[in-house]
Amino acid sequence: MSKYFTVKRLAVLALLTALCHIGRIAFQFIPNVQPVTVILIIITLTMGTLDGLLVAITSMVISNMLLGMGPWTLYQIMAYGIIVLLTSALKALYNRLKDHQSARRVIFALFAGATGLIYGFVISLFSSQMFGVVNFWVYYAQGISFDLMHAAGNVAFFLVLEPTLVPIIQKRFMTSKG
């Protein structure tokens, strides 16, 4: 493991965690629209599953120190963990579509949108248990507009961030050793 966690890799993960934190804080004025999910997708596709999970955990803990810590922090970590694992399962497809940039971007922008809905579903599932909600589907339906905003935001963020972040990560951080 020590060869995996080089000083350079840890610095990159710290910077990406900071980017998630700043993105989460900067977009507070738009409910459920933040670049965090997309950044985690990009990290998982370019760096790997472990890196995506580490940034998900650290960015939720750090940003919730400012926004409010509670049981929902664990729910957020679990929801992002599921998203990172789903993204990891699609990494081979992402790499296979390397020569078809437009198709890859559209497919994964739609996937990013779907992860906004997945995130909301997982959070609602755990939150309904925490609050003792009797009818999950009524509870979930009341928040679907926020999940749709998350999904739409993810599509937009993916279309902007993927062509920007992926080359930076690949050229600056993944090509040289150490």
Side-chain angles (χ1 to χ4, degrees), residues 12 33 36 69:
V12 170
V33 176
V36 176
M69 192 72 72

Side-chain angles (χ1 to χ4, degrees), residues 23-65:
R24 196 162 180 224
I25 303 304
F27 287 92
Q28 281 285 121
F29 63 96
I30 309 172
N32 276 19
V33 176
Q34 311 163 348
V36 176
T37 309
V38 168
I39 294 168
L40 295 174
I41 290 169
I42 291 169
I43 291 167
T44 304
L45 292 172
T46 57
M47 297 179 72
T49 307
L50 182 58
D51 299 301
L53 289 171
L54 288 172
V55 173
I57 293 166
T58 54
S59 62
M60 286 304 100
V61 170
I62 290 169
S63 59
N64 281 357
M65 285 181 185

Side-chain angles (χ1 to χ4, degrees), residues 110-124:
L110 293 172
F111 170 71
T115 62
L117 299 173
I118 292 166
Y119 179 88
F121 183 81
V122 172
I123 293 294
S124 293

